[in-house]
Amino acid sequence: MILTKAQYEEIAQCLVSVPPTRQSLRKLKQRFPSQSQATLLSIFSQEYQKHIKRTHAKHHTPEAIENYYQRYLNGVGKNGAAPVLLELANEVDYAPSLMARIILERFLQGHEQTPPSKSVINNMLRDPSQIPDGVLANQVYQCIVNDCCYGPLVDCIKHAIGYEHEILLRDLLLKKNLSFLDPATPKERTLLLVCLEFRRQSSVTHTSFLSFLGCTSQGFLPSQEAKTVTDEDQLRAKGYDKTPDFILQVPVAVEGHIIHWIESKASFGDECSHHAYLHGQFWSYWNRFGPGLVIYWYGFIRELDCNRERGILLKACFPTDIVTLCHSTQHGLTLKILEEKPEAM
Amino acid sequence: MAAVLESLLREEVPVAAAVRWIARSTPSSEDSPEVAALSALRPLRKEFVPFLLNFLREQSNRVLPQGPSTPAKTPGASAALPARPGAPPRGGRGARSQLFPAAEPVSTAAEAPLARRAGRRRGPGPGPGPGPSRERGGRGPGGPEEGTSGESPPWAGGRKPRGAGSPGSPRLSLSDPPNLSNLEEFPPVGTVPPGPAGRTKPSRRINPTPVSEERSLSKPKTCFTSPPISCVPSSQPSALDTSPWGLGLPPGCRSLQEEREMLRKARSKQLQQSPTPTCAIPELGSPVPSRTGGLTAEPADPARVSSRQRLELVALIYSSCIAENLVPNLFLELYFVLQLLTARRMVATRASDLGSNRGALDPLETPLFQSIHDCVFFAAQVLEHQFQVLSYLDKGTLKLLAENERLLCFSPALQGRLRAAYEGSVAKVSLVIPPSAQAVSFQPETDNRANFSSDRAFHTFKKQRDVFYEVLREWEDHHEEPSWDFEKGLGSRIRAMMGQLSAACSHSHFVRLFQKQLLQMCQSPGSAGGSVLGEAPDVLNMLGADKLGRLRQLQERLIAPQSSGGPCPPPTFPGCQGFFRDFIMSASSFHFNQHLMDSLSLKIRELNGLPLPQHEPGDEDGESDVDWQGERRQFAVVLLSLRLLAKFLGFVAFLPYRGPEPPPTRELQDSILALRSQVPPVLDIRALLQQGLWARRAVLTVPWLVEFLSFADHIVPLLDYYRSVFTLLLHLHRSLVLSKENEGEMCFLNKLLLLAVLGWLFQIPTVPEDLFFLDDDQVDAFEVDTATSEHGLDSVPVVDQQLLYTCCPYIGELRKLLASWVSGSSGRSGGFVRKITPTTTTSLGTLPPKTSQGLQAQLAQAFFHNQPPSLRRTVEFVAERIGSNCVKHIKATLVADLVNRAESLLQEQLVTQGRHRGDPAQLLELLCSQLGPHGAQALTQGREFCQKKSPAAVRALLPEETPAAVLSSAENIAVGLATEKACSWLSDNITALIRREVKAAVSRMLRAQGPEAAARVERRGCSRACEHHAPLPSHLISEIKDVLSLAAGPRDPEEGVSPEHLEQLLNQLSQSLQCRQFLCPTAEQHLAKCSVELASLLVADRIPILGPPTQHRLDRGQARRLLHMLLSLWKDDFQGPVPLQLLLSPRNVGLLADTRPREWDLLLFLLRELVEKDLMGQLEVEACLGRLNEAQWPEDFSEELSTLFRLFLAEPHALEPQLRACELMQPNRGTVLAQS
């Protein structure tokens, strides 16, 4: 779904000050029936995040927080079952999940002497039943499940979407017989288990064990969002500092452009995010590995695909026109175009 | 001097003798008495050549007034020099302005304007002032005062009085044909000069219009020696030369528009004045059609040549000087000759002028070139003598020469030879557009964390790399925009980045990246080829002569001609090089520069010492030809890299000393000299040059040395160290006589390359002109013994035309000159049919045995000597690779096994020691000490590996036909070298490697994986038959979230879910959990949590159901079915932990509190099932229920909760089946319970 800048702006225009709720999404889908839902949702989410970034500060002044908290208390004082917090968020044009966080933080500050740690807050947001106040727990929960742009559930969905598309891309590469850096080998897992067993049985603390291994505790916190060993980890282990999702062991040509790596982005490529990615990731990859391909699975603004000659190619799907290098016994190196029909494996 | 020339012209002295006299320092016995007479003039001998060159330039003034002048840097007479040789009196960048050193000041008339001139120009005379006048013409496009004072540029034939008069003949100067266009001689104001001063209308000095691409990049470059851009010394030299390179725009430089306007006016004025072309429009740039095109050429007729004999004589002497390398720059002379050949018309001289001189008998008083016919005749004569050099020029130039109709008229024989040479030539010089920038790839060996002192340094480098490329990209985008300025655009960012590179190690990392990128972007022959000078690919060159006529009109519209540096361009940083130059300038970091110099020096030494293969004689089959191509290419790559590196080294090394002009006073200069002589050279180039000459590798060493020296500051040539280097180079220059082609001599093109680069160097402004015309004695003093028996690189034809033109793009000016003639001349020949005859390279000499230490090594050397060089390369390559692979193989096998063994040892330790064990670090020590001894196996295994692998590889890479003995020797050598490489590495590193690997593997994985993930990882993956069509987890979370949000409200009245949808959702969830292809741990965790929440909502009957308005609730059977589905999901499909205890969290149980009537049976059912399916323990459930009581509930709800608790306890799950049946019979049991 590649949109022109004009098309994109038409959509973005409709999203100004729309609350991030189920209902808003439904309306959006009705307004743009021809666009894919995923693309619309992605654009909506990005636009909303831009909006929140712009207005974030004004909701976090001590006065604003106090004001919200009092309004919350008044609201639940009247009727604890009413969607007080959600309506407050919608009224002041702020994300419900973030509003829930503000109120929760304020609530905890009122009940405890020390300000609550970030992880405590996060855990409570993830599992509101840990919130000591039943009414607040319900209010927070309601905010989180009704927010389609922020909150732990949305984060998880986004993460899952990203992961799924990486897997999808990996399968497509495998089908094309393109070799890239592989995930961790089983051997390493076994060793890891041994290590963990060692740690479990030993009396050493987590930190001292890590320092013994020469690693800092940063990056390894036994969180619920534990990662699996991936290509990226392997490359990092080799010393690579920044790595794209897939580094091709043998470069290929896509639409006439040589690519060395592929990055999967399960989002819509708008100007803002694309520039951030270019700066933070794509050029860094180019600087290290040469030209590459970015797949924005949910589409992008056509005008952004302007760095092809420079070595950043944008696509909204897996490319069909892939030319690989192959060795011919007679003519040395020749190029062969991969047919689109499925190959015999 | 004049006397010598005069006696020659009078045929008092035979030419041959004169040439001998010029070329040799010692007169030989067989010389005639006349020559003996000459030898009396020996002290003057070295002055003869400059005199001759100046004489010729002078004579050509009237022919080429408007044309591009030919610069030359010849010194003034030695008398003009202060005691120290090579001290200040030099300068005269501007072409011919400098060419009359021997002459007395022309007239007082000439002095007046000079004295008037602002700046450093002093009046002539050996006064106590700071030495002789210094004309710095050619620096910067036009000083501000030029335009206003209405002077013609000095190069347009200016005669400039030198400081002290030399023992020349004043008579000569006075009798010179007046150069009407020279405003120095004929200034607009001042004494009326003899002759037609009244007719001389001062032409307006037009400043060059910078339109070339190079210029728009940043700052206009200064051409020191080239004619195009000349500049009268500015009255504000400091402002003119803001940068140490003197690259700053002159402050008075007008805007382009203004300049254009002026140019236009001047042009129209000129048109009105015609047909009196006395006032030439001085323009910059090499001759291009736009200028000359307007003038129709006078036809040249051999029959109308005025004094053949005299011209022949001078041509012969001149040619002999060229042939003996007595002129500083071969190509400059050729350029001059071609200018004469293509001269369009003579400046009209009045009959009276000629008449006044006619009476005189002095041959020097009669103009040498009295007509165009004379010029062309002379040029043809010289070209005949220089045919050999011409025949080595590129095909395009040859074609233009061969097609030149004047040559056809004047020397049909030469034309025929040229034509033959053209047809036989394969020397096509291609113009390649440089590819866009490629980044230096990440180098895991050097760029990895282990090479940095701290995480911070590593991180900084990471960022630096990105910033560097960001800056580079921005430069690429903008540097062609005229308004863009490097310093303004990027300077602060670069300095900020430099500021972060605190640690020395970070600097070296960055310098490595910088240098690699420099080589990558600027070194490849392709990218350096077409745009060596950084110009847009030359339109003239690309189109060739054929289309030039059509191009002419278009060109005439262009205001300024394409500017290229002319035949002697100053050192520049074309194209991408400009980025690196500007980067260094903007960074202005001492640290960076120092590290860069270190790194460049190291790389230069490394490349300079590279054992380049030697050409083997007699082997002319196709295969070796293929090898030969590779060798030549390799040489070109090395040479170009070296030149690039040396250029930047020179740039950085002399940067601190570089100033726009030499020190003003002798005292200052002496003190600087004393100081500078203490500073050791950044790179011992003298030693490298001596080695290069000795090893006969001058063809590799000299070109880069020249690049390095071209950036020297004014003091450098005065330092003893560098002076000796220059002397060596000078000696080399003299020895490169092209006509001598003896066995073992340097190849022709090699020589030509060296002559071209050296000639170029001698024209660099900072190199004193007098240096070239040093006393022979001094030169001879530096005689180097090059007569070694060994054949070096010099005798191998490594240079081809492509490389020659790449290194010396200014040679291409010859072609441009000829092309512009074609475009301007009306009757041009149609060219001839192409016929390409391939030529073969000839091989030279034999390879003598090389002596070396160690019999084995000697044998191996000998073995390689008599084999094709590819064999040696192959063997070395195989050894290198196999050795390296061996290490990798050992890492992958032996070390991996040892790591495995470490695992089991670790487990043993855990089992035996239980919970009470010591420090983990001790444990690792223990492991390593147990494994260490096994490392010794590595050497054995390594040896085996090399023995097994190397022969096969060698065999595969060498030709099938390689004789068996040769093959086995090659194999053995490869095995030996590979083993040596591998084993020495292994013995040094194996222990540390094992230790590191054990440690690294453990830490790596631990860092990457949390304990939960580790536990789960074992069970990951779906069945083999799975086609991964299950719904995506993200989609499911999203769907479930929607249900949850509907349940939590607020919702519109018409919103709800159908029971079928719920069932479908759970089915999909099951599929998705079974497939697992797209399931990441996080998603699974959230799905688990959501499923528990869904169950709670089902139990509390809080899911809004779509259907008839009355229903809105799920019937009990459906609810149970759904709960069963969930139970089976939890039991069978989820692989991660499911937070089932959440079912009994106060919040979820609290959902029940609000329902009226409360129904507990589903909850009880669920709890029982959980226990029965072993999803939760009985005790766990009891604990949860117990905790529920602690919460605050409405009183009735607390009671019901207690009842539920009792009920759960009372009915052991063994009785479950009956209970379930009973429940089915009593659907309202929960309510009953609650009421009891």
Side-chain angles (χ1 to χ4, degrees), chain B residues 3-4 7-8 13-14 17-18 21 33-43 45:
Chain B
V4 177
S7 60
L8 274 167
V13 177
W21 174 74
E34 295 94 337
V35 181
L38 278 177
S39 56
L41 295 167
R42 197 171 159 239
R45 203 166 40 82

Side-chain angles (χ1 to χ4, degrees), chain A residues 126 188 192 224 241 310, chain B residues 462 477 1005 1009 1085 1089:
Chain A
R126 219 172 291 156
E188 284 180 327
L192 180 69
Q224 289 172 311
D241 49 5
R310 274 279 179 81
Chain B
K462 228 171 7 180
D477 285 343
M1005 287 173 295
Q1009 231 170 353
Q1085 282 161 24
K1089 194 165 152 283

Side-chain angles (χ1 to χ4, degrees), chain B residues 900-921:
Chain B
N900 278 335
R901 214 178 294 181
E903 289 172 31
S904 45
L905 279 170
L906 194 60
Q907 267 171 329
E908 271 176 41
Q909 293 285 336
L910 295 175
V911 172
T912 54
Q913 298 187 359
R915 278 183 175 272
H916 313 287
R917 80 188 56 82
D919 185 22

Side-chain angles (χ1 to χ4, degrees), chain B residues 1177-1212:
Chain B
Q1178 173 90 9
L1179 290 174
E1180 202 181 346
V1181 176
E1182 283 170 20
C1184 288
L1185 285 171
R1187 270 200 298 278
L1188 271 179
N1189 281 328
E1190 292 162 20
Q1192 288 195 330
W1193 302 109
E1195 202 174 317
D1196 58 334
F1197 188 78
S1198 295
E1199 283 171 19
E1200 288 177 31
L1201 207 57
S1202 315
T1203 318
L1204 176 80
F1205 195 10
R1206 279 200 303 278
L1207 217 60
F1208 178 75
L1209 290 177
E1211 300 175 46

Side-chain angles (χ1 to χ4, degrees), chain B residues 344 400 403 545-546 548 817-826 828:
Chain B
R344 279 170 205 274
L400 288 166
E403 286 174 2
D546 297 346
L548 281 172
L817 191 60
L818 291 165
S820 77
W821 162 254
V822 173
S823 71
S825 69
S826 46
R828 63 170 203 270

